[in-house]
Amino acid sequence: MADSKESLSVTDNRTGETYEVPIEQGTVKAMAFRDMKVDEDDFGLMTYDPAFTNTANCRSTITYIDGENGVLEHRGYTIEDLCEHATYLEVAYLLIYGELPKQDELDEWVHEITIHTFVHENLKEFLGGFRYDAHPMGMLQSSVGALSTFYPGAKNIDDDRERFLATIRLIAKMPTLAAFAYRHNLGLPYNYPDNDLSYPGNFLSMMFKMTEAKYEPDPRLEKALDVLWILHADHEQNCSTAAVRAVGSSEVDPYSAVAAGVAALYGPLHGGANEAVLKMLDRIETVENIPDFLQGVKDRKERLMGFGHRVYKNYDPRARVIKKNVEEVLEVTGKSPKLEIATELEKHALDDDYFTERKLYPNVDFYSGLIYEALSLPTDMFTVMFAIPRTSGWMSQWLEMVKDEETKIARPRQIYTGERARDFVPIADR
Ligand code: SDX
């Protein structure tokens, strides 16, 4: 029997029965309520939690978030320390293996990823089938899914070597697929990976190299991208990670599970918000228009994109780091009029009870788009920039899920509110 202090005593007033429900790690098991029945034929009680706002679906050791205090840690290291001292690939290793790599481990990890950056030549024809104006997120979710057809061995999800290869391949190839989608949109030839360059440097080369023999990335932009990618690497059970876990629980290969994550991230309430923020700033146009825009938000005619968060009820610590990053990037690329609108918009919103009462603060998407715009990326590439680093988070969560003894195929229940036992009506009588 659970310690009486670490349990709930639940009385079912329909029967007068009292049930002891153990409290474990701040939760109670939903299945404990199935024992609460009015008679033997009763199915028992379920819990109802649309959008899982108060439901834990797994145990995890990867990312810790304290929403009230704006804390984000990966495997116990603060996001601020990781941005200050680590590279993105070092953080990707930390997410996957749980420990920061020693120098030889990091060198081997970087080498493995570097030699897996190429994609099968057939993927070029696959991407060639899209219209010139296809959204790069639509191309990315399709090409990531297509990767599963090139690596049938990935279906052996219990095989360590296959798990390792899928992890390396996805982290290595996401930038290549992203850059190829971008070049396809512009009708430009693809640039193959350059293995002499860093992970972010190689991405910039695949994106922007033109006729020069060798692309030379600006080290300040490489650093800015690396920090941005650390900030976007993982974020516990967000919508897209929950999608990867749910789809992965059917024991499909990880490429297909990650393709589901890309699809979820595409949504404007999730990763698509960075693109929506820039469009919102464009619509606001001038600082003078901010009060009217915010009134539109309060009248529920608008949503303040890049603000609010399911977990953070304080400033998203990532937004704070990105805001500092923006200034450093703009020193390289030149001032952005939108930065002034964004900072004024934040100031007005945080001075307004409507937003502070609802605990609406800037989130990771509010400033990131300004950096992508400063890198001359089109807005429809912004969410792709989120998907690249989130791949290491999705894969760390997928690996944790496949190894978790408690994992079963995800299959929620429902409250049925429809009709029952209706007589069929022949079409002539309808
Ligand atoms: C990401 O989960 C993650 O970790 C995600 C992420 C990650 O790293 O994976 O952090 C990345 O997706 C960041 C969020 C990016 N999305 C946006 O910026 C879109 C704008 N924000 C929202 O739509 C909203 O804040 C959500 C979706 C982020 C969170 O929504 P919730 O938790 O469901 O909150 P809610 O909709 O219940 O809002 C609570 C109240 C409501 O007001 P009332 O009806 O109670 O009066 O706040 C209001 C909402 O109307 N509200 C907003 C608002 N967000 C919430 N009002 C205006 N503008 C907003 N942005």
Side-chain angles (χ1 to χ4, degrees), residues 65 235 238-240 268-271 273 297 300 302-310 313 316 318 354-355 358 360 363-365 386 390:
I65 301 176
H235 213 239
N238 58 84
C239 179
S240 54
L269 292 189
H270 190 11
V297 174
R300 298 178 185 250
E302 300 273 2
R303 193 154 266 258
L304 183 52
M305 301 309 278
F307 262 66
H309 200 277
R310 175 63 56 77
K313 299 308 170 190
D316 183 334
R318 301 169 296 175
Y354 180 90
F355 299 97
R358 288 171 175 77
L360 299 178
N363 59 49
V364 69
D365 290 311
F386 195 150
R390 186 50 59 93

Side-chain angles (χ1 to χ4, degrees), residues 78-87 90-91 100 223 227 230:
T78 66
I79 193 69
E80 292 83 359
D81 271 357
L82 293 172
C83 287
E84 183 71 30
H85 305 296
T87 64
E90 207 172 344
V91 172
L100 287 169
K223 177 67 184 154
V227 170
I230 291 171

Side-chain angles (χ1 to χ4, degrees), residues 80-88 90-91 198-201 204 217-231 321 324-325 328-329 332 371 375:
E80 292 83 359
D81 271 357
L82 293 172
C83 287
E84 183 71 30
H85 305 296
T87 64
Y88 164 71
E90 207 172 344
V91 172
S198 71
Y199 187 76
L204 291 168
D218 183 314
R220 293 167 297 181
L221 299 186
E222 282 182 277
K223 177 67 184 154
L225 265 190
D226 217 50
V227 170
L228 263 181
W229 286 351
I230 291 171
L231 290 163
V321 178
K324 200 163 68 64
N325 223 344
E328 285 158 20
V329 168
V332 178
I371 294 182
L375 293 174

Side-chain angles (χ1 to χ4, degrees), residues 50-123:
F52 315 117
T53 51
N54 191 43
T55 295
N57 73 335
C58 65
R59 298 174 202 274
S60 181
T61 61
I62 299 169
T63 292
Y64 171 76
I65 301 176
D66 173 349
E68 289 305 322
N69 298 303
V71 173
L72 170 58
E73 294 171 358
H74 293 311
R75 305 287 191 177
Y77 296 95
T78 66
I79 193 69
E80 292 83 359
D81 271 357
L82 293 172
C83 287
E84 183 71 30
H85 305 296
T87 64
Y88 164 71
L89 286 185
E90 207 172 344
V91 172
Y93 183 101
L94 173 67
L95 292 172
I96 299 292
Y97 291 106
E99 295 297 336
L100 287 169
K102 296 183 183 63
Q103 190 60 54
D104 61 335
E105 291 167 329
L106 180 59
D107 294 347
E108 175 60 18
W109 175 249
V110 172
H111 170 74
E112 282 290 339
I113 285 166
T114 303
I115 63 171
H116 282 92
T117 46
F118 275 68
V119 293
H120 193 290
E121 282 291 285
N122 287 10
L123 269 162

Side-chain angles (χ1 to χ4, degrees), residues 153-430:
K155 287 182 171 60
N156 307 316
I157 62 168
D158 295 324
D159 181 295
D160 282 342
R161 178 74 185 148
E162 288 294 348
R163 286 173 178 170
F164 171 77
L165 284 172
T167 303
I168 288 290
R169 283 171 172 150
L170 275 159
I171 294 172
K173 297 178 196 306
M174 202 59 97
T176 310
L177 293 174
F180 280 16
Y182 171 74
R183 300 287 287 196
H184 171 80
N185 281 154
L186 295 181
L188 290 172
Y190 296 132
N191 290 314
Y192 284 112
D194 179 341
N195 289 352
D196 298 339
L197 299 174
S198 71
Y199 187 76
N202 174 45
F203 173 70
L204 291 168
S205 170
M206 292 190 290
M207 289 284 288
F208 301 123
K209 182 175 175 298
M210 296 305 278
T211 57
E212 65 272 41
K214 192 164 182 67
Y215 182 85
E216 290 179 20
D218 183 314
R220 293 167 297 181
L221 299 186
E222 282 182 277
K223 177 67 184 154
L225 265 190
D226 217 50
V227 170
L228 263 181
W229 286 351
I230 291 171
L231 290 163
H232 287 81
D234 190 61
H235 213 239
E236 58 133 282
Q237 305 312 313
N238 58 84
C239 179
S240 54
T241 296
V244 170
R245 281 180 171 262
V247 170
S249 73
S250 72
E251 298 192 357
V252 75
D253 69 272
Y255 300 99
S256 303
V258 167
V262 176
L265 191 72
Y266 193 178
L269 292 189
H270 190 11
N274 55 20
E275 179 177 352
V277 167
L278 259 286
K279 289 182 176 154
M280 174 184 75
L281 295 175
D282 278 335
R283 278 192 298 115
I284 293 172
E285 221 175 333
T286 64
V287 169
E288 293 69 30
N289 294 337
I290 288 174
D292 285 351
F293 175 79
L294 288 179
Q295 189 52 53
V297 174
K298 292 191 261 189
D299 299 341
R300 298 178 185 250
K301 296 189 192 105
E302 300 273 2
R303 193 154 266 258
L304 183 52
M305 301 309 278
F307 262 66
H309 200 277
R310 175 63 56 77
V311 177
Y312 289 123
K313 299 308 170 190
N314 198 319
Y315 212 102
D316 183 334
R318 301 169 296 175
R320 216 185 293 284
V321 178
I322 292 178
K323 191 172 173 184
K324 200 163 68 64
N325 223 344
V326 169
E327 281 127 30
E328 285 158 20
V329 168
L330 294 181
E331 269 163 36
V332 178
T333 60
K335 282 238 25 93
S336 154
K338 292 196 185 82
L339 176 60
E340 189 196 0
I341 299 175
T343 38
E344 279 305 304
L345 185 58
E346 175 189 340
K347 216 178 287 170
H348 280 70
L350 298 190
D351 279 346
D352 188 321
D353 291 350
Y354 180 90
F355 299 97
T356 48
E357 277 164 9
R358 288 171 175 77
K359 300 189 180 218
L360 299 178
Y361 296 91
N363 59 49
V364 69
D365 290 311
F366 188 62
Y367 285 105
S368 54
L370 291 171
I371 294 182
Y372 300 140
E373 187 191 52
L375 293 174
S376 333
L377 292 176
T379 47
D380 61 9
M381 274 294 288
F382 289 9
T383 310
V384 172
M385 299 300 285
F386 195 150
I388 292 172
R390 186 50 59 93
T391 301
S392 56
W394 287 330
M395 280 311 286
S396 66
Q397 299 272 351
W398 178 83
L399 286 164
E400 187 174 68
M401 184 269 300
V402 291
K403 294 174 196 166
D404 184 342
E405 300 284 309
E406 290 189 307
T407 295
K408 295 173 73 172
I409 186 167
R411 202 265 182 236
R413 312 299 297 232
Q414 65 173 15
I415 300 174
Y416 181 68
T417 57
E419 306 258 0
R420 293 292 316 280
R422 300 170 77 183
D423 295 330
F424 188 80
V425 180
I427 193 159
D429 302 338
R430 285 176 204 161

